[in-house]
Amino acid sequence: AQSVTQPDIHITVSEGASLELRCNYSYGATPYLFWYVQSPGQGLQLLLKYFSGDTLVQGIKGFEAEFKRSQSSFNLRKPSVHWSDAAEYFCASGRGATNKLIFGTGTLLAVQP
Amino acid sequence: DAGITQSPRHKVTETGTPVTLRCHQTENHRYMYWYRQDPGHGLRLIHYSYGVKDTDKGEVSDGYSVSRSKTEDFLLTLESATSSQTSVYFCAISPGTSGGSYNEQFFGPGTRLTVL
């Protein structure tokens, strides 16, 4: 069965430090991959998406992600974290014509001053 | 922002009572989805719709039913609410695939449901 794994439940980084959030997927065919961010009490906002082509994708708010088929990974990165980046981050994989998404369990990011 | 509203935004109800949550969109998107969000589980798909009167089950559909009589509205009903259905419910919409692209889902603000 298709699954998405986010190994890190909680991560704390200092403001200005670099960030990498891990995501691993299992899917036989070419995956469609997404990163969403959720601020407290809010809905989910799309950061970036990968369908095909260039394996390094740029998103909003200075985020990027790299698709690595050999590692079944789609890790999210940001070179310098801002306090406003504190939120929960979800990786998701899409499948089929119905666009159904499978979500990881999320990574909660805390930013220290 | 995608035009998605959910109502009510908060609801407290008692075990055994029926509850209906509403999702309304102004984007005329074909696909609509209901998810529930619980700590440690991320978001899990309850039901989805691929057109008016066309719906199907997701991975956690037991105890839930849906209806879509108009493109813009997707209703989620808990026939007899249980405490295990206490959760945050999110509606999402998507135009579907087009031109070889896989379109993302846009999420509503959520409904926090508490079943006592």
Side-chain angles (χ1 to χ4, degrees):
Chain A
Q2 184 183 7
S3 67
V4 175
T5 302
Q6 294 180 249
D8 303 307
I9 297 172
H10 189 273
I11 284 181
T12 300
V13 299
S14 299
E15 191 168 16
S18 63
L19 172 70
E20 182 168 25
L21 302 182
R22 296 183 292 166
C23 173
N24 294 97
Y25 66 89
S26 69
Y27 190 52
T30 302
Y32 303 112
L33 296 163
F34 307 84
W35 275 100
Y36 285 87
V37 60
Q38 184 181 34
S39 298
Q42 304 296 313
L44 277 73
Q45 181 183 20
L46 181 71
L47 286 175
L48 46 78
K49 59 187 178 185
Y50 172 78
F51 299 148
S52 64
D54 193 348
T55 56
L56 185 63
V57 294
Q58 302 296 320
I60 62 171
K61 305 185 181 187
F63 285 93
E64 66 177 27
E66 186 171 12
F67 170 64
K68 293 185 177 180
R69 186 184 299 276
S70 61
Q71 298 178 20
S72 298
S73 69
F74 188 57
N75 293 351
L76 181 71
R77 300 194 294 247
K78 187 170 185 178
S80 178
V81 171
H82 189 262
W83 64 266
S84 60
D85 293 323
E88 190 158 21
Y89 292 80
F90 292 94
C91 182
S93 175
R95 57 181 171 142
T98 55
N99 282 29
K100 291 189 289 185
L101 292 181
I102 299 295
F103 282 85
T105 51
T107 297
L108 185 62
L109 174 66
V111 180
Q112 288 181 333
Chain B
D1 289 346
I4 313 170
T5 56
Q6 294 184 230
S7 59
R9 294 293 312 279
H10 302 271
K11 186 170 182 65
V12 179
T13 190
E14 293 188 350
T15 297
T17 60
V19 176
T20 295
L21 308 182
R22 179 180 184 240
C23 177
H24 178 80
Q25 62 149 327
T26 58
E27 305 296 322
N28 200 37
H29 284 347
R30 177 183 178 187
Y31 294 91
M32 299 185 75
Y33 312 81
W34 277 107
Y35 293 89
R36 60 177 288 174
Q37 183 179 28
D38 304 289
H41 291 276
L43 282 82
R44 293 177 292 175
L45 182 65
I46 304 171
H47 282 280
Y48 67 99
S49 169
Y50 47 96
V52 173
K53 293 186 168 53
D54 293 323
T55 65
D56 204 350
K57 296 178 180 180
E59 60 181 307
V60 289
S61 59
D62 287 349
Y64 302 95
S65 62
V66 291
S67 65
R68 190 173 180 194
S69 59
K70 298 184 291 185
T71 297
E72 57 266 34
D73 289 325
F74 192 33
L75 303 181
L76 176 70
T77 297
L78 290 65
E79 301 290 349
S80 177
T82 67
S83 59
S84 64
Q85 294 176 311
T86 292
S87 186
V88 180
Y89 291 85
F90 285 98
C91 174
I93 63 175
S94 173
T97 55
S98 63
S101 169
Y102 195 90
N103 290 296
E104 64 266 29
Q105 294 183 18
F106 303 95
F107 285 80
T111 294
R112 183 172 295 276
L113 175 67
T114 302
V115 183
L116 301 176

